[in-house]
Structures are given as structure tokens and as C-alpha cells.
Amino acid sequence: MRTDPDRPASSAPWPTWVHAPVRAAIEGTGVRELWTHQRHVADLAHEGVDVGICTGTASGKSLAYLLPVLSALSEGVSAPTGRGATAIYLAPTKALGADQEARIASYAIPGIRAATLDGDTPTDERRWIREHAHLVLTNPDLLHHTLLPQHERWASFLRRLRYVVVDESHVYKGVFGAHVALILRRLQRIAARYSASPTFVLASATSAAPSEQLGRLVGRPVQVVDEDGSPHGATTYALWEPGSAPSDPTGESRRSAVAESADLMTALVRRGVQTLTFARSRVGVEVVAEMTRAALGSDGSTVAAYRGGYLPEERRELEAALRSGALRGLAATNALELGIDISGLDAVVMAGWPGTVASFRQQAGRAGRGAAPSLVVMVAADDPLDTFVTHHPAAIFDRPVEQAVCDPANPYVLAPHLAAAAAELPVTVADSAYFGDDMVGLLAALVARGVLRRRPRGWFWAREDRPADHFSLRGSGEDVVRIVETRTARVLGTVDGARSHTTVHTGAVYTHQGAPFVVTALDLDDGSAHVVPGDPGWSTMARSVSSFDIVSSHRHEVWGDCELHFGTIRVRSQVTSFLRRLPSGEVLGEHPLDLPERELVTRGVWWTMPESVALATGLDPADLPGALHAAEHASIGMLPLVAQSDRWDIGGVSTALHPDTGVPTVVVYDGHPGGAGFTERAYAAARTWLAATRSAIADCSCAHGCPSCVQSPKCGNGNEPLDKPGAVLLLDRLLRDAPVDGEG
Ligand SMILES: [Zn+2]
Ligand SMILES: [Zn+2]
């Protein structure tokens, strides 16, 4: 338990530079004065400084960036063209863009035209937007596919481009973050072509100072404002580890976080405490809402489940019901973080650690109404991170949030953007200012492949089609497999090629948006997996064999007898069979699969320890493979502590004798070609990361290893062998001579 005292308001007067009609319009909505952080951000952006605003949920971030933007647009209305300045607002979801458009419309500033541009915008409307809109609300995909390739049509808009707002910038991480970072560089390059040099304003929900991350996203330094001047009541935090499940005589598995959270929400709602419960999956959300409703009996109708994909009117209704108090409890996935405007609840319950400190703070930020006190409870689920944070609250409260990393220098991501850039405007040597030092080498490779042509004036696109159509911003630039419903031939979605063998092999039970499907055939030549809906009553787990070669070590440290490296590796893996398992865990059978080997060249962090050193800890030689494997699993589970990775973005291999190193070796790697920046970050924070891994294993109350410490849901070996005590011995030995991290 821990309580943050209340924070008084800190206000500032309006800046004098705000255009009078803008101030009048905003004051008309009831805003009398600004919070200090709003003023600070607005002043910096007005002066042309790229700025990041990183304050809590409901701290009025929008107003901070809208002041300079709307002021510039409003002043531009009196220009001869009626459009002296323009701006772009980027949001990761439609819902967020729609909310922002509604907010701006509610100000009704004379002459300002804001318009949403997305994939569904009709052609006529697009033309109107290009010629007349002051503010375009859109998303990175649309910049990539439409605005940048057609920049000549957008010339009059781009010539006047003064601001680019990147909202929810913390979602741009990993491979997707690298793509967006390169789109923003392409935008700067094209804007410069029209003599425009827009100021960037980035809003991030994380409350620490991620100036390095924001700088990587924009490609130039960003000044961060993170002292929050908005008032907030005292918040009490509780971290809760459920007792063991009554059905489990071994005491090895805990009661589920979902059931425990439903009980908590029931108790809170009964006491008149308006509560929002976050669950990790849609199924979890349904279960929490169902259990709470059942427990509340006749009052059950005051509790709802929030499902994604609501229409705007439905969302507004839900928001209004919460605000009026008609709704006393709501269960939601963290998709809500982006889609709906809810804050000011009495209590927030989290069924499971939300993955990162950043998400934790964002979800917790939904609690607290004005100066009234609020409660936040995190209920630990079966996961090493949950175990760790419950036992080490300092990891949540006393350290900065994990860095949301991306690596725009990844050649697998950079090369297709260079091709896209060349098609927009020939690339010249000077463009390395945007694309980095590796640019020229990559351009030469694109010329060799016939994608680009080198001429005296630069590198030109050499093909007939459009480069932007050749790659997906969310994938890793390689093949994807379409999920096709056999009966209707409807495409439900896609799976990355890298993940397809393990998730949609023939016979797999595949969950798509919470609904189960069975894969009847995986056709690799056609790039499709055929599925039929239905739950067969069992789940499937792919088994695979993996190995890796070290291509090159870029950096390393000697830790006494051990070594830690960061570098390029080649991972070879082959899915060989799958298991069918009942919910009880009972295995129904193993079925062989005939799938080709896959190769992944990526970045990884690895550590080595001579066998004699490992055995000197008292470890039995027979337990060495299990100890390494257990340490590998837990360290993958703990990586989100230092980099905002998802467990599924990361892979690992451990071996008691590696041919390249000649000694026991554990590698953890980015699961995307060329890497995603996560393991680079892990290397930089290796001591923090591995010490936390050691604690997560040692603190877990199980005897032989469980999902809360060393078991992994994605293990290709069926979690065999695993040696929990051995993993602690090895990590203790490894950390004995580890230096303090250069950065934390
Ligand atoms: Zn355990
Ligand atoms: Zn494993």
C-alpha cells in the first residue's frame, strides 16, 4: 500500500500572443486560466521549439498544444488566401481523431476549418480538404500511403505547414515506431521542399521524461515538459497477490486475477465506489463484468463491459452514463486507453499487471475526481513481471517509466522508406541528415536490386508501381499470412510470416478478437490460413527446435568470468509438431507438422558463463540446461521492465554448449528482422534487467517453477527442462561481477 498526497493546482495566466478570437472561444467553454504545464508547452511551441508534453491522464494536454496551433491558424485566416497557416494532427486511432475534431468544433473559432482525413474519406472531400482545410486530423498510414506520395497535390497545404501534432506518441514503439519515425522524417523532407519547417508537438501519456525516445521519433532534439500543474486528489495504491486456487491441491497456481478483480469490483460498487476494471483480454473483460453483475444481483445492471469497435454515439452514451453516475462499474481492456474519454472514477482495478509502468500510470490516471481521494488496486496474474512488481513496488513508484524504444536505423525498415522517399522526390546525399549515415549504402543495395536508379541528380524510383504499397507499417517488411474463413472466404486478418508457423499451423486453435477458430489448412505458397469458427474444447501449443549463430558482436562487457554481448545473430527455427491440451492442462496428443525451417537475422543480447563457473555454484551438471532455460524464460518475461516490449516481440534460445562461444550461452532477441530496439535497450540496462529477473524467480512462492516465474506460454519445448533453483544460482553468479548500468 502506498498513498500519493494530493497535488494542488498550479495555474498561469494566458500568454499575450494567443490570437484574440481563439482566447475568446476557449474562454467561452469555461476555461478561465491555464495550468502551468499548459502555458509552458504552449510558449515553447509558439517559439518554434519541438516539444513533448508528458503529463498525466486528464491533465489538459490537448489545450496545451491546441493554443499555439489554433492561434497560428486563426491568424492565418486573414491572409489573402484565407489560409496563412496549416497544421497536421496525427492520432493512432480514429476515435481519438474524432474526439479532437469534436473538441475543436465545439470552440467554434471563426474561419477555422478542421477536417478528418482517413481511408474512408471520399475523393471530393479529399480535394476540399487539400484546398481549404487549416487543420487535417489524420494518421501515419495516411501520410505514408496518400499525402506524401501525392505531395504535389498538397503543395498549397504543405507550403503553409506550421505545426505537426503527434498525439499518444508513446504507442509508436518497436517496429511500428521505427516506421512512424521514418514517415515523420519523410514529412520533414517533403515540407522542406516547399520551404516549410513545421514545429513538432508530441503528447505522451507517460509521465517520465522520455526526451531521448521522442527525439528518436522526430529525428531531432525535443524539449520535454513533465511537471503537471493540474490538481489531483490523494491516490492510494495497493498491489495484491491472490492466494492459491482452491481447486489446486499443490498450491502452485494462484487464484485467477480476473476472478479476484471481479470480487473487488463487486465489493467496491456495493460501497458506492464507482470503479473501472481493466483486464488484459476481451474474454477477461466479459468474465469480470459477468461475475460482478451476478454477484450484485438486482444492482447488476449498473455494471457494463466495454467492447472495442463501438460507434461514436455508443461511446458517448457510455461516457455520459459514467459521468452521471448511472453506471457504477465498467470493465474494459486497455484498448480503452485510446478510444474513450473517461476519467474521474473513484477506483481503478487492474486484473493483471498492464505490461509496463507507462500503462500502469495511464490506467491509474483514470482514478481521481478533482480533490477527492481515489484508489488503485493491481491484482497480480500468473506472470514473472506481476510477481516482481508486487514484491518490488519501488519498480513502479520510484523509477522512471521504461523507455518506449524504436530503431529507425534498422535496415529492414529503413530501406523500403528510402525507396518510398525516392519516389516522392529524388534522394540526394544531403538527405542523410534525415535518414542517417547508413543511407548511401542502402541506396546502393536498392539500385543493385533494380528498385532505384542512380542519376546525377540523385536516386530515383525505377519502377512503375508505388513503393508505399509494397510494405506494411505494422509488419516487419516480410511475408504475411492472411486468415481466411473457409465458409465465407472472408479475410479476418493477417499474421506476420514469422509468427504464422507457431500460431496458424494446420490444426491450430487460433483466437481472433476473442473468438476461437480452428485452422483447417495453412497454405504457405498462397500465404493463407483457412479457418472455421468454433471452440473444439482444447488449445494447441506449437513445438519447435531453435538454434542461433552469432553473426557479429557489436558491443560487449566482461563481467568477471562471464561476458555480456549485444550484436547481430541468425536464429533458425522449425516448428515440428503441436500439442492439444485440455483446459486442465492434460495433453490429448502430439501431432507432427511438416513445415520448413525459418531464418531470422536480428539483434540480440547474450550472456555466456564457462561451464566450470556454472557448476562451481553447486549446480548439478544434469540441471544446467534447465537452469539456463529457466533463466532465459524469466528474462524474456522481465524485459518489459526496461523496454516497452511485448513478450511476443521477443524470443530466446539457451544452450549448455554453443558452437560459436564454446560455453553455456543464453540469448534473448528481437523477434523482427533487423531488430526492433528492445534488446539494444536490454543491453544498456542489463544489470537492472537481470537482477529483476533473478528476484522474480527467487520471490515466487512455488517450489518447482510456475507461470509466475519460469514457465512461458510460448515455449517451443513445452517448458522442458526447467530448473528454478538452478536459474537463481546462475543469475547470482552472473550478477556478482556486473557493473552498475550506464543508464537505468
Ligand atoms: Zn513460480
Ligand atoms: Zn522455452
Side-chain angles (χ1 to χ4, degrees), residues 589-603:
E590 179 168 358
H591 309 271
L593 288 167
D594 183 22
L595 286 164
E597 186 178 87
R598 290 190 65 92
E599 214 178 75
L600 171 70
V601 177
T602 184
R603 298 288 167 87

Side-chain angles (χ1 to χ4, degrees), residues 297-328:
S298 58
D299 291 334
S301 60
T302 61
V303 173
Y306 179 81
R307 304 170 193 82
Y310 272 149
L311 297 172
E313 311 85 77
E314 295 172 311
R315 290 193 294 115
R316 300 275 179 281
E317 249 170 59
L318 212 57
E319 290 167 15
L322 273 174
R323 230 169 271 136
S324 74
L327 202 56
R328 304 303 304 163

